[in-house]
Amino acid sequence: MSRSFRVGPGGRLSGRLRVPGDKSISHRAVMLGAIAEGTTRISGFLSGADAISTMNVFRALGVRLEGPVDDGVTVHGVGLHGLRAASVVLDCGNAGTAMRLLMGLLAGQRFASTLVGDESLTKRPMRRVAEPLQRMGARIETNAGCPPVRVLPSDGLHAIRYELPMASAQLKSALLLAGLYADGETVVVEPAPTRDHTERMLRAFGVDVRSDGPVVSLRGGQALRATTVDVPADLSSAAFFLVGASIAPGSDLLLEHVGINPTRIGCLEILRRMGADIEVVAQRQAGGEPVADLRVRSAPLHGIEIPHELVPLAIDEFPALFVAACCAEGRTVVRGAEELRVKESDRIAAMAEGLAALGFVTRPTADGIVIDGRGGDDAVFRAGRGAAHHDHRIAMSLAIAALRSSGVVEVDDTTNVATSFPGFVASARGAGLDIDEIGA
Ligand code: S3P
């Protein structure tokens, strides 16, 4: 059944909150654990639909997994060559990360696999991954560049050097995973830095991965050794609260144990440049990743031109950042963010439409958006009903806009919030948002 949110206007956010585990890291922990030798224990796992899809794919490929129980998962690794042909299609649900990384991992297997996804995933581009994998010798078929993706049995991959045509951690990761099965050294060159969780986690599993500026490389055939993975809270989920507390006067919120990997913190930098009051407290390391508590207090925001280099480092947080921009004094300009158009939805169009439904007109462009913020402490949105377009991040972004609305905000099609943020409604209520879920 389709769900929706009903969010009462105004309020402030306070207290402390630990948002669910990092989605990118949870997917990778299952994948690397599955092809490692030995038993990998994961804590802080994202027990959300996307990461569960990845677990189920590996179960179908013959890997024994236990959990999640209290956000803990145990993966009984089968080794680099231990995966078995699945007797079913591999359903990635809504998870682009699962499908793209799996394409790389499955490209070097001696059996065939078929990857499918939900309505949103079925529209997303897969050629960007299929093409370089084909250059490595993989045999991959797509439906005009989109899922379903058929990966045919491999007779061996060879390493390539590949310059990524776009900044994409999923593409980089797919090629590195395929590189584990290739003869020689796979070299990937990034046009701009993207999240480096795959590189960090491969190292934690004992693989020699070299990073030299934009160049990442690894030799094929290296065995992975099981390890423990402590997954930090997802900064991308924390972002809704960073924005919410920034725009709602009187807010003071502590977000606990959040991953602050330097390749992910574009949203922190952008919010700070807009005037946000975010304090990074008790910085520490967890499982090869930097982690901290984030204290955010409301502050007057001002519009900025988002620096180009911060775009890939904040790519998943733009829907929430657009809400911040509406509440900021002056103009915010986003450029070079065309990748937003091929996420779980076209996030530029979906947010422009959703904000317009709340009475706020923005100017979308081909590769970004221009937002003339209203500033001040008064309501900048009005009562309205927005559609999430099957996209978890659109749903949560429109929900937090209610903090600065003069009337009730309703959001339709919120079922997919569970892909990345199970328990969002309870967490948001606990922090002070007047939110109810309807149709649950
Ligand atoms: C991800 C990479 C990004 C991001 C996605 C997760 C990952 O996608 O938007 O939510 O885990 O590697 P792209 O690689 O398409 O930029």
Side-chain angles (χ1 to χ4, degrees):
M1 186 199 291
S2 177
R3 297 176 189 200
S4 53
F5 291 157
R6 182 186 181 285
V7 196
R12 63 192 179 91
L13 301 182
S14 62
R16 27 190 340 132
L17 175 63
R18 179 163 171 162
V19 301
D22 188 283
K23 182 151 75 72
S24 295
I25 297 176
S26 296
H27 282 301
R28 286 158 171 84
V30 169
M31 291 181 188
L32 299 194
I35 56 165
E37 284 161 19
T39 303
T40 290
R41 290 184 208 286
I42 310 170
S43 57
F45 186 74
L46 168 64
S47 302
D50 271 17
I52 304 276
S53 295
T54 294
M55 287 180 70
N56 288 335
V57 164
F58 281 94
R59 288 189 172 118
L61 292 167
V63 180
R64 196 156 69 81
L65 291 119
E66 296 165 64
V69 176
D70 292 335
D71 299 335
V73 169
T74 304
V75 189
H76 299 275
V78 295
L80 205 51
H81 299 288
L83 298 176
R84 298 279 167 262
S87 54
V88 291
V89 294
L90 302 174
D91 188 355
C92 299
N94 189 246
T97 306
M99 186 172 287
R100 293 199 176 120
L101 271 59
L102 278 162
M103 286 171 71
L105 192 59
L106 295 171
Q109 308 294 333
R110 301 199 172 278
F111 54 82
S113 305
T114 303
L115 296 160
V116 299
D118 71 2
E119 193 184 330
S120 146
L121 183 52
T122 300
K123 293 186 195 130
R124 297 185 63 188
M126 296 298 148
R127 189 171 282 138
R128 56 176 64 190
V129 187
E131 200 181 79
L133 290 174
Q134 284 156 351
R135 287 199 210 175
M136 294 175 80
R139 294 188 298 145
I140 297 187
E141 294 166 2
T142 62
N143 178 20
C146 292
V149 175
R150 182 120 177 102
V151 186
L152 300 172
S154 162
D155 355 297
L157 301 181
H158 50 265
I160 58 167
R161 178 187 169 92
Y162 190 69
E163 307 215 351
L164 303 186
M166 72 286 291
S168 165
Q170 292 177 353
L171 175 50
K172 170 178 64 175
S173 302
L175 299 182
L176 292 175
L177 293 177
L180 289 172
Y181 294 89
D183 271 345
E185 184 167 29
T186 296
V187 182
V188 181
V189 187
E190 296 195 90
T194 64
R195 63 193 71 196
D196 64 356
H197 304 303
T198 303
E199 297 91 303
R200 284 173 185 258
M201 202 182 290
L202 280 168
R203 288 186 193 112
F205 278 83
V207 175
D208 179 21
V209 183
R210 309 227 160 130
S211 298
D212 183 8
V215 184
V216 187
S217 59
L218 60 74
R219 271 175 300 100
Q222 300 186 61
L224 282 71
R225 279 191 316 271
T227 186
T228 56
V229 183
D230 172 11
V231 181
D234 198 328
L235 179 59
S236 299
S237 297
F240 303 106
F241 293 95
L242 293 173
V243 169
S246 295
I247 63 172
S251 295
D252 184 350
L253 184 69
L254 189 75
L255 295 155
E256 297 172 333
H257 204 67
V258 184
I260 53 160
N261 179 312
T263 59
R264 290 286 294 281
I265 54 171
C267 72
L268 286 182
E269 184 60 30
I270 290 168
L271 282 171
R272 279 194 172 140
R273 289 186 189 206
M274 294 175 78
D277 178 359
I278 302 172
E279 206 183 320
V280 177
V281 188
Q283 193 168 331
R284 53 205 181 264
Q285 289 284 317
E289 293 277 348
V291 166
D293 299 332
L294 302 177
R295 181 174 184 190
V296 53
R297 281 171 277 201
S298 51
L301 302 181
H302 54 263
I304 60 166
E305 296 230 353
I306 310 270
H308 207 266
E309 66 279 8
L310 291 180
V311 169
L313 309 184
I315 195 69
D316 288 341
E317 291 70 66
F318 278 106
L321 290 170
F322 293 175
V323 174
C326 295
C327 302
E329 184 78 48
R331 178 168 289 184
T332 294
V333 183
V334 183
R335 289 197 197 90
E338 57 279 355
E339 281 294 305
L340 289 177
R341 294 207 177 268
V342 289
K343 295 295 179 189
E344 285 84 329
S345 68
D346 174 343
R347 286 184 171 158
I348 295 172
M351 279 308 290
E353 182 195 300
L355 294 169
L358 306 183
F360 200 109
V361 176
T362 58
R363 266 195 292 136
T365 60
D367 66 344
I369 199 162
V370 179
I371 297 178
D372 286 318
R374 297 202 187 133
D377 276 354
D378 296 338
V380 301
F381 305 108
R382 59 169 163 68
R385 184 170 205 120
H389 293 271
H390 307 309
D391 188 331
H392 52 137
R393 300 202 198 282
I394 303 299
M396 291 183 274
S397 299
L398 295 177
I400 55 154
L403 288 162
R404 288 289 293 280
S405 170
S406 58
V408 169
V409 170
E410 291 170 292
V411 188
D412 284 333
D413 184 19
T414 59
T415 308
N416 279 346
V417 167
T419 60
S420 68
F421 203 146
F424 171 72
V425 171
S427 292
R429 276 199 84 78
L433 193 68
D434 177 18
I435 181 169
D436 285 301
E437 188 166 35
I438 296 156

